[in-house]
Amino acid sequence: MEIIEKAPAKINLGLDVLRKREDGYHDLEMIMASVDLADKLIINELPKDQIIVRTNATFLPVDEKNNVYQAVSLVKEQFGIKQGLSVEIKKTIPVAAGLGGGSSDAAAVLRGVNKLWNLGLTTEEMSAIGFQVGTDVPYCVHGTTAFVAGRGEIVQPIPAMPQCWVVIVKPQFSVSTRKIFADFDMRGIEHPDIQGLKASIIEQDYDKMISLMGNSMERATMMRRPVVREIKDKMLKYGADAALMSGSGPTVFGLCQNYSRAKRVYNAFRGFCKEVHLVRTINQ
C-alpha cells in the first residue's frame, strides 16, 4: 500500500520573542498559516526492517539527520514496529528558508504512517511525537492557521486567514535558526501585537491583519544579511499589501489580495532571486 502526503510550507504572519528561558531556549508567540507551496512524500512499506529516505534535493541528508527519518524512527520505537519504510521526498519548498519545509515533511510522514500502520493517533499525539523532531512540527501536523506558543508545542487552530496571493522570495543563502537564537539580543526588539493579529484573523479583517503583522527576529537577520531588508522594501515598492520575513529567514513573503498586483511583484523578482513562488493561502 502506497501513501502520498502533501507537506505545505508555512509562513509567520506574526512572530514575537517573549523571553529567553533558563534552559537557553526562547518563549515565543506566533501566528502561522500554511500556503499552497508543498513537498510531496511517497511512502511505501519495505520487507526488511530499515528506513530508506530518498529525495531530489541532493544537499539534503537522508540519514539520521533527516527530520523524516527521525519521525519514522520515533514511531517505530514507540510502537515496536519492525516493518521497514521507504519515503521519497519530492522537494519544492526551499531548504533552510524559514518556511518549515523539513518540519512539514516530518509532519506529513507522521500522518502517513498513522494511516499506513492503523495507529489511531490523534493530532495531539502526532504533535507530541513531532515535537521531539522539531519545534515547528506540531504546527505542521495541524496545518491550519493557528496561534502557536511556548517553544512551538502549544498550537491553537483559529479560522483560516483571509485568502490572498502570496509571493515568496528566498535569496541564494540560508540562515541558521540555531545561530540566530544563540546570538539573539532581547534589548530593543519590536514586539508585534500577536493577540490583536489573532483577533483580526478571527474577524476576517484583512486590512487590520496586514497592519498588525510583525516579526521580532527581522532586525537580527537583516543586520547579518541586508539583502533581506532589500527584498522586503522592493516587495512593498512593487505593490505588495504587506511584506514580512518568515521565521528566522531569509525568505520574505508578500501578501496581495489582487492577482495582477501579486503577479507584478512576482515578476519583479524573477531575475533578482532564483527561488520565487506565487501561491495561494490554504483556506481550510
mmCIF file of all heavy atoms in Angstrom, residues 164-183:
data_model
loop_
_atom_site.group_PDB
_atom_site.id
_atom_site.type_symbol
_atom_site.label_atom_id
_atom_site.label_comp_id
_atom_site.label_asym_id
_atom_site.label_seq_id
_atom_site.Cartn_x
_atom_site.Cartn_y
_atom_site.Cartn_z
ATOM 1 N N CYS A 164 -5.671 35.097 0.124
ATOM 2 C CA CYS A 164 -4.974 36.081 -0.701
ATOM 3 C C CYS A 164 -3.848 35.378 -1.449
ATOM 4 O O CYS A 164 -3.622 34.184 -1.295
ATOM 5 C CB CYS A 164 -4.423 37.227 0.155
ATOM 6 S SG CYS A 164 -3.258 36.701 1.441
ATOM 7 N N TRP A 165 -3.152 36.140 -2.274
ATOM 8 C CA TRP A 165 -1.989 35.636 -3.003
ATOM 9 C C TRP A 165 -0.734 35.894 -2.185
ATOM 10 O O TRP A 165 -0.639 36.897 -1.473
ATOM 11 C CB TRP A 165 -1.881 36.319 -4.366
ATOM 12 C CG TRP A 165 -3.029 35.985 -5.261
ATOM 13 C CD1 TRP A 165 -4.171 36.718 -5.448
ATOM 14 C CD2 TRP A 165 -3.165 34.820 -6.079
ATOM 15 N NE1 TRP A 165 -5.018 36.088 -6.325
ATOM 16 C CE2 TRP A 165 -4.418 34.910 -6.735
ATOM 17 C CE3 TRP A 165 -2.358 33.713 -6.325
ATOM 18 C CZ2 TRP A 165 -4.878 33.943 -7.614
ATOM 19 C CZ3 TRP A 165 -2.811 32.748 -7.193
ATOM 20 C CH2 TRP A 165 -4.047 32.856 -7.833
ATOM 21 N N VAL A 166 0.213 34.980 -2.287
ATOM 22 C CA VAL A 166 1.453 35.094 -1.523
ATOM 23 C C VAL A 166 2.641 34.976 -2.482
ATOM 24 O O VAL A 166 2.759 33.991 -3.205
ATOM 25 C CB VAL A 166 1.557 33.989 -0.444
ATOM 26 C CG1 VAL A 166 2.783 34.215 0.437
ATOM 27 C CG2 VAL A 166 0.292 33.935 0.408
ATOM 28 N N VAL A 167 3.484 35.990 -2.475
ATOM 29 C CA VAL A 167 4.730 35.949 -3.251
ATOM 30 C C VAL A 167 5.853 35.594 -2.282
ATOM 31 O O VAL A 167 6.047 36.271 -1.266
ATOM 32 C CB VAL A 167 5.026 37.302 -3.928
ATOM 33 C CG1 VAL A 167 6.318 37.201 -4.751
ATOM 34 C CG2 VAL A 167 3.857 37.733 -4.812
ATOM 35 N N ILE A 168 6.553 34.521 -2.568
ATOM 36 C CA ILE A 168 7.611 34.022 -1.690
ATOM 37 C C ILE A 168 8.957 34.172 -2.396
ATOM 38 O O ILE A 168 9.131 33.701 -3.517
ATOM 39 C CB ILE A 168 7.355 32.543 -1.332
ATOM 40 C CG1 ILE A 168 6.091 32.426 -0.464
ATOM 41 C CG2 ILE A 168 8.557 31.929 -0.618
ATOM 42 C CD1 ILE A 168 5.639 31.007 -0.238
ATOM 43 N N VAL A 169 9.886 34.834 -1.726
ATOM 44 C CA VAL A 169 11.206 35.076 -2.313
ATOM 45 C C VAL A 169 12.287 34.637 -1.330
ATOM 46 O O VAL A 169 12.369 35.141 -0.209
ATOM 47 C CB VAL A 169 11.404 36.569 -2.652
ATOM 48 C CG1 VAL A 169 12.811 36.808 -3.215
ATOM 49 C CG2 VAL A 169 10.351 37.044 -3.653
ATOM 50 N N LYS A 170 13.102 33.660 -1.744
ATOM 51 C CA LYS A 170 14.233 33.219 -0.927
ATOM 52 C C LYS A 170 15.534 33.598 -1.618
ATOM 53 O O LYS A 170 15.782 33.179 -2.745
ATOM 54 C CB LYS A 170 14.208 31.711 -0.706
ATOM 55 C CG LYS A 170 15.389 31.256 0.183
ATOM 56 C CD LYS A 170 15.586 29.763 0.176
ATOM 57 C CE LYS A 170 16.791 29.365 1.011
ATOM 58 N NZ LYS A 170 18.084 29.713 0.365
ATOM 59 N N PRO A 171 16.364 34.407 -0.963
ATOM 60 C CA PRO A 171 17.680 34.727 -1.548
ATOM 61 C C PRO A 171 18.573 33.498 -1.583
ATOM 62 O O PRO A 171 18.254 32.461 -0.982
ATOM 63 C CB PRO A 171 18.232 35.799 -0.597
ATOM 64 C CG PRO A 171 17.487 35.617 0.679
ATOM 65 C CD PRO A 171 16.136 35.070 0.321
ATOM 66 N N GLN A 172 19.700 33.622 -2.272
ATOM 67 C CA GLN A 172 20.556 32.454 -2.513
ATOM 68 C C GLN A 172 21.515 32.173 -1.364
ATOM 69 O O GLN A 172 22.717 31.994 -1.556
ATOM 70 C CB GLN A 172 21.315 32.635 -3.831
ATOM 71 C CG GLN A 172 20.397 32.527 -5.047
ATOM 72 C CD GLN A 172 21.144 32.753 -6.352
ATOM 73 O OE1 GLN A 172 21.713 33.813 -6.572
ATOM 74 N NE2 GLN A 172 21.134 31.758 -7.215
ATOM 75 N N PHE A 173 20.993 32.152 -0.166
ATOM 76 C CA PHE A 173 21.753 31.724 1.010
ATOM 77 C C PHE A 173 20.748 31.258 2.045
ATOM 78 O O PHE A 173 19.549 31.502 1.921
ATOM 79 C CB PHE A 173 22.633 32.854 1.567
ATOM 80 C CG PHE A 173 21.876 34.105 1.925
ATOM 81 C CD1 PHE A 173 21.250 34.255 3.154
ATOM 82 C CD2 PHE A 173 21.792 35.155 1.019
ATOM 83 C CE1 PHE A 173 20.554 35.406 3.481
ATOM 84 C CE2 PHE A 173 21.098 36.318 1.331
ATOM 85 C CZ PHE A 173 20.474 36.445 2.569
ATOM 86 N N SER A 174 21.243 30.570 3.057
ATOM 87 C CA SER A 174 20.375 30.081 4.119
ATOM 88 C C SER A 174 20.776 30.725 5.440
ATOM 89 O O SER A 174 21.861 31.298 5.564
ATOM 90 C CB SER A 174 20.469 28.557 4.224
ATOM 91 O OG SER A 174 20.013 27.951 3.027
ATOM 92 N N VAL A 175 19.897 30.631 6.415
ATOM 93 C CA VAL A 175 20.142 31.194 7.741
ATOM 94 C C VAL A 175 19.962 30.085 8.768
ATOM 95 O O VAL A 175 18.996 29.324 8.699
ATOM 96 C CB VAL A 175 19.168 32.359 8.027
ATOM 97 C CG1 VAL A 175 19.211 32.755 9.497
ATOM 98 C CG2 VAL A 175 19.503 33.565 7.156
ATOM 99 N N SER A 176 20.872 30.003 9.713
ATOM 100 C CA SER A 176 20.775 29.015 10.785
ATOM 101 C C SER A 176 19.909 29.576 11.909
ATOM 102 O O SER A 176 20.300 30.542 12.574
ATOM 103 C CB SER A 176 22.164 28.659 11.321
ATOM 104 O OG SER A 176 22.060 27.940 12.533
ATOM 105 N N THR A 177 18.741 28.970 12.119
ATOM 106 C CA THR A 177 17.863 29.400 13.215
ATOM 107 C C THR A 177 18.582 29.281 14.549
ATOM 108 O O THR A 177 18.489 30.162 15.411
ATOM 109 C CB THR A 177 16.580 28.543 13.231
ATOM 110 O OG1 THR A 177 15.924 28.680 11.974
ATOM 111 C CG2 THR A 177 15.642 28.994 14.340
ATOM 112 N N ARG A 178 19.312 28.187 14.713
ATOM 113 C CA ARG A 178 20.059 27.962 15.954
ATOM 114 C C ARG A 178 21.049 29.101 16.209
ATOM 115 O O ARG A 178 21.164 29.608 17.332
ATOM 116 C CB ARG A 178 20.797 26.620 15.883
ATOM 117 C CG ARG A 178 21.418 26.175 17.195
ATOM 118 C CD ARG A 178 22.183 24.877 16.987
ATOM 119 N NE ARG A 178 21.313 23.826 16.500
ATOM 120 C CZ ARG A 178 20.620 23.015 17.288
ATOM 121 N NH1 ARG A 178 20.688 23.157 18.601
ATOM 122 N NH2 ARG A 178 19.858 22.069 16.778
ATOM 123 N N LYS A 179 21.746 29.524 15.169
ATOM 124 C CA LYS A 179 22.741 30.590 15.305
ATOM 125 C C LYS A 179 22.071 31.926 15.614
ATOM 126 O O LYS A 179 22.541 32.690 16.468
ATOM 127 C CB LYS A 179 23.551 30.693 13.994
ATOM 128 C CG LYS A 179 24.572 31.823 13.953
ATOM 129 C CD LYS A 179 25.705 31.595 14.931
ATOM 130 C CE LYS A 179 26.774 32.670 14.749
ATOM 131 N NZ LYS A 179 27.810 32.605 15.827
ATOM 132 N N ILE A 180 20.982 32.218 14.927
ATOM 133 C CA ILE A 180 20.275 33.479 15.166
ATOM 134 C C ILE A 180 19.807 33.558 16.618
ATOM 135 O O ILE A 180 19.985 34.567 17.309
ATOM 136 C CB ILE A 180 19.066 33.629 14.210
ATOM 137 C CG1 ILE A 180 19.532 33.810 12.760
ATOM 138 C CG2 ILE A 180 18.177 34.791 14.629
ATOM 139 C CD1 ILE A 180 20.164 35.142 12.461
ATOM 140 N N PHE A 181 19.214 32.467 17.123
ATOM 141 C CA PHE A 181 18.723 32.469 18.503
ATOM 142 C C PHE A 181 19.873 32.522 19.506
ATOM 143 O O PHE A 181 19.760 33.159 20.559
ATOM 144 C CB PHE A 181 17.853 31.246 18.766
ATOM 145 C CG PHE A 181 16.401 31.460 18.465
ATOM 146 C CD1 PHE A 181 15.749 30.691 17.520
ATOM 147 C CD2 PHE A 181 15.685 32.441 19.133
ATOM 148 C CE1 PHE A 181 14.401 30.890 17.242
ATOM 149 C CE2 PHE A 181 14.339 32.653 18.862
ATOM 150 C CZ PHE A 181 13.696 31.875 17.921
ATOM 151 N N ALA A 182 20.992 31.849 19.200
ATOM 152 C CA ALA A 182 22.134 31.837 20.117
ATOM 153 C C ALA A 182 22.676 33.248 20.338
ATOM 154 O O ALA A 182 23.123 33.592 21.445
ATOM 155 C CB ALA A 182 23.233 30.925 19.571
ATOM 156 N N ASP A 183 22.630 34.068 19.299
ATOM 157 C CA ASP A 183 23.167 35.432 19.379
ATOM 158 C C ASP A 183 22.079 36.487 19.580
ATOM 159 O O ASP A 183 22.352 37.680 19.519
ATOM 160 C CB ASP A 183 23.938 35.758 18.085
ATOM 161 C CG ASP A 183 25.127 34.825 17.870
ATOM 162 O OD1 ASP A 183 25.604 34.241 18.862
ATOM 163 O OD2 ASP A 183 25.567 34.675 16.710
#
